[in-house]
Amino acid sequence: MVNIQKLKYKESLKDKCGIFGIYGKGIDVARISFFGLYSLQHRGQEGAGITVTDGKNLKSVKGLGLVSTVFDEEKINSLKGFASIGHTRYSTTGGNKLCNVQPVVLNLKNDDFALAHNGNIINAMDLAHKLPSDVKLSSTSDTEIMGWVIKNSSGKNWEEKILSSFNKFQGAFSMIALTKNKLIAFRDTYGFRPLVLGQLNGSYIACSETCALDTVGAKFIREVAPGEIVTIDEKGINVVDKISSLKKSFCLFEYVYLARPDSIFNKQLVHQVRQRSGEILAHESPIGADIVVAVPDSGTSAAIGYSKASGIPYGEVLIKNRYIGRTFIQPEQYIREMGVKLKFNPLKKIVKGKRIIIVDDSIVRGTTMKKIIKILRGCGVRKIHIRVCSPPVTDPCYFGIDTPNKKKLIASYLTIKEIEKFIGADSLAYLSLDGLKKASRIKSNRLCSSCFDGKYPMPVEGGFRKDVFETIN
Ligand code: SF4
C-alpha cells in the first residue's frame, strides 16, 4: 500500500485548470504550447508547466505563477521535441506548492509518462490505498494517483492501460497524456470539463477551449466526446475507444463564468449563452434604472443582454485592473478583501445620483459584491439593484471547480432576501435554473447543474476534492 499516512484530508478550495497538447514534427511545440497556455490563463493563474518529448526522454519546465512568469525565452528554447503538453493551475487553500504544478511526470525506465489534468477524482484516496507499496507519491494531487493507477493497469501500451483503468476513476477528467512518442487525450464519460481537438497545418492539438486554438492559428476539428480516448501522433488523430456514456453532464458553470466568452462548446459560443442569460434575467426580474452595469469581465456579456432586453442603456462603470487575478478564488481572506479594492475603480462622475443595475455572473461568498456595493455607495449612487446571471450557488462542486465547501457558500445558509441585506443592495434577483439552461440551448439532461440544485450525477458523499491532501511533514 502507498504511504498514505503522510497525507491527510483537508477541506479546501479546488482547482480549475487549462490544458494544452500538441504533436507536430518540425515545429516549435514548446513555443506553441506557451501561447496556447497563455490563452488559457483564465483557467489557472498560480502555476504553469510544459513537458516535451524528443522521442527518448521527457523534459519539463514548471513553476509557480503566471505563464509569462514561469517561462522566458531561455526556458522555451530548452524544451526541444516534437510533442508537448502544458497546464495552467489554480491553487487551493495553502496548496500552492511547486510539487502540485503539472504536468505530472512519472519517471520510468525508458518509458516516461506525463499527464495534464482538468477535473477532480472523487475516489482518489481509495485508489491511492490500492497502489503497490513501492509507489512513492511526490505530490499531493489526484493526478499523480491517476498516473500510477494507469501505470499499474493491464495493457501492452499506454493507451491500453488508460482504457483498462478508465472505469476505476470516479469524477471528472479531461486529460492529455504524453508518452515518449505520442499524445493521448481522453475525457470522462460524463464530459464535465471541455476538451477540444484542432489542426495547425500538419500538426494536431488537444486543449481545454477553442480560444486557445484561435490564438495559435489552429482550426477547430471537434470535441473529444465523453468517454472517448484518442491518440495523436504522426498518423493524426486516432480513436482508441469510446466508452458508452450513460449520463452526459457538461458543466453549466463553464458557460456562466469559467470559460472565455470567445470559446465554443457544444456548438454554443459562450458570449452568446451569457448574453441570452442576461436577456432572460431581464424578463424574469425587471426593475427600473438609469444604467445597466457589468462586473467585468465575466458579467459583461450578460449585462449587454440585460440591457438589450430591458431597453436600459449599458454603460461601463467599474474599471477593472486586469493585471490582478480573480478574487473570489484567492486562497486567503485578507488577499480577497484587498483584491476587491485593487481590482475595481468606479467612474464616480458617471454614477453619482443614478439608479444602477449591476449584472454579475454569480455570487459565491457574497463578500466581493458587498465590497463593490460599498464602494459605489461611497460614490453617491442612488439605487443599486443586483442581477445575477445564474441561480444561487448552494452546493460545492466535486468535478474540478473551485467552489468553497457548502458552509461558505452564502446561498446555502441565507435566503435571497437575507443575501440582499448582507450585501447591502436595494434589490437582488437571480436567474432561474430553467432560464440558465434555456440560455445554454443544451438539453437539460446533458448538463451538470449540481452546484445550483445539489443533484449530483454520481454519489459524492465522502468524496474527495482536488488537492484536499496535505503533506503533514
Ligand atoms: S457542480 Fe457546478 S461547477 Fe461543478 S461541474 Fe457541476 S455545474 Fe460545473
Side-chain angles (χ1 to χ4, degrees), residues 237-278:
I237 296 169
N238 291 289
V239 177
V240 175
D241 209 334
K242 198 173 156 196
I243 295 151
S244 63
S245 172
L246 297 175
K247 165 120 186 65
K248 292 196 175 63
S249 301
F250 185 73
C251 170
L252 199 44
F253 219 81
E254 290 280 351
Y255 289 116
V256 171
Y257 169 76
L258 303 168
R260 255 176 50 165
D262 50 336
S263 284
I264 298 172
F265 307 123
N266 306 298
K267 300 187 180 148
Q268 301 299 325
L269 178 65
V270 173
H271 166 75
Q272 288 180 318
V273 174
R274 289 181 189 166
Q275 196 169 330
R276 287 195 292 270
S277 70

Side-chain angles (χ1 to χ4, degrees), residues 261 270-287 291-295 297-315 357-360 387-389 431 439:
V270 173
H271 166 75
Q272 288 180 318
V273 174
R274 289 181 189 166
Q275 196 169 330
R276 287 195 292 270
S277 70
E279 288 170 19
I280 295 168
L281 180 57
H283 291 300
E284 287 183 355
S285 299
I287 190 99
I291 185 168
V292 176
V293 169
V295 178
D297 291 310
S298 48
T300 304
S301 305
I304 291 167
Y306 194 101
S307 164
K308 192 173 149 205
S310 64
I312 301 167
Y314 168 80
I357 297 170
I358 303 177
V359 178
D360 202 359
R387 293 295 177 267
V388 184
C389 273
L431 181 63

Side-chain angles (χ1 to χ4, degrees), residues 385-440:
H385 303 288
I386 306 300
R387 293 295 177 267
V388 184
C389 273
S390 64
V393 178
T394 53
D395 291 84
C397 176
Y398 286 83
F399 310 119
I401 295 309
D402 180 20
T403 51
N405 58 42
K406 192 171 169 88
K407 62 182 185 228
K408 288 191 181 156
L409 295 166
I410 193 166
S412 74
Y413 60 89
L414 293 185
T415 63
I416 293 176
K417 266 284 159 221
E418 287 167 340
I419 299 170
E420 181 183 287
K421 196 169 165 212
F422 172 79
I423 61 177
D426 291 296
S427 81
L428 167 67
Y430 289 83
L431 181 63
S432 67
L433 185 53
D434 280 351
L436 179 58
K437 287 177 174 175
K438 199 171 156 201
S440 78

Side-chain angles (χ1 to χ4, degrees), residues 29-305:
V29 290
R31 191 170 299 270
I32 295 168
S33 295
F34 168 83
F35 286 108
L37 292 182
Y38 203 75
S39 60
L40 296 172
Q41 188 74 85
H42 59 290
R43 297 185 76 87
Q45 296 151 23
E46 297 189 7
I50 295 174
T51 302
V52 297
T53 177
D54 59 7
K56 289 188 191 128
N57 299 303
L58 266 52
K59 185 174 179 192
S60 303
V61 171
K62 298 194 257 182
L64 297 174
L66 298 172
V67 176
S68 57
T69 313
V70 174
F71 295 97
D72 57 21
E73 197 61 36
E74 199 183 327
K75 285 181 180 150
I76 294 286
N77 284 335
S78 74
L79 294 170
K80 297 288 180 219
F82 56 84
S84 70
I85 59 173
H87 190 270
T88 60
R89 177 177 184 275
Y90 222 105
S91 84
T92 59
T93 301
N96 193 23
K97 298 171 185 157
L98 186 58
C99 66
N100 288 332
V101 176
Q102 296 190 27
V104 163
V105 181
L106 305 192
N107 293 117
L108 307 163
K109 255 189 200 155
N110 296 324
D111 203 15
D112 289 352
F113 181 64
L115 283 170
H117 176 203
N118 177 202
N120 177 66
I121 301 302
I122 292 172
N123 64 334
M125 195 58 129
D126 294 342
L127 293 170
H129 274 102
K130 290 176 191 151
L131 287 173
S133 57
D134 59 341
V135 170
K136 299 277 175 273
L137 295 175
S138 60
S139 72
T140 58
S141 118
D142 56 345
T143 309
E144 189 186 3
I145 294 167
M146 285 185 85
W148 286 111
V149 171
I150 293 168
K151 156 79 176 69
N152 287 292
S153 293
S154 59
K156 61 181 183 303
N157 53 36
W158 284 108
E159 47 271 41
E160 284 187 12
K161 284 174 179 286
I162 288 169
L163 181 58
S164 63
S165 63
F166 210 87
N167 288 328
K168 295 177 191 167
F169 304 121
Q170 289 164 20
F173 51 99
S174 280
M175 303 202 71
I176 313 172
L178 180 69
T179 72
K180 64 183 178 183
N181 51 24
K182 66 178 71 164
L183 300 180
I184 309 167
F186 52 106
R187 197 171 171 205
D188 65 77
T189 58
Y190 294 81
F192 289 104
R193 309 260 70 86
L195 189 59
V196 301
L197 296 168
Q199 189 176 12
L200 177 63
N201 304 320
S203 311
Y204 291 91
I205 292 169
C207 60
S208 296
E209 295 189 30
T210 60
C211 68
L213 296 177
D214 297 336
T215 299
V216 300
K219 263 195 337 221
F220 170 74
I221 302 175
R222 66 177 178 87
E223 296 186 23
V224 175
E228 190 177 28
I229 304 166
V230 301
T231 56
I232 304 174
D233 56 18
E234 72 272 2
K235 293 179 230 131
I237 296 169
N238 291 289
V239 177
V240 175
D241 209 334
K242 198 173 156 196
I243 295 151
S244 63
S245 172
L246 297 175
K247 165 120 186 65
K248 292 196 175 63
S249 301
F250 185 73
C251 170
L252 199 44
F253 219 81
E254 290 280 351
Y255 289 116
V256 171
Y257 169 76
L258 303 168
R260 255 176 50 165
D262 50 336
S263 284
I264 298 172
F265 307 123
N266 306 298
K267 300 187 180 148
Q268 301 299 325
L269 178 65
V270 173
H271 166 75
Q272 288 180 318
V273 174
R274 289 181 189 166
Q275 196 169 330
R276 287 195 292 270
S277 70
E279 288 170 19
I280 295 168
L281 180 57
H283 291 300
E284 287 183 355
S285 299
I287 190 99
D290 303 308
I291 185 168
V292 176
V293 169
V295 178
D297 291 310
S298 48
T300 304
S301 305
I304 291 167

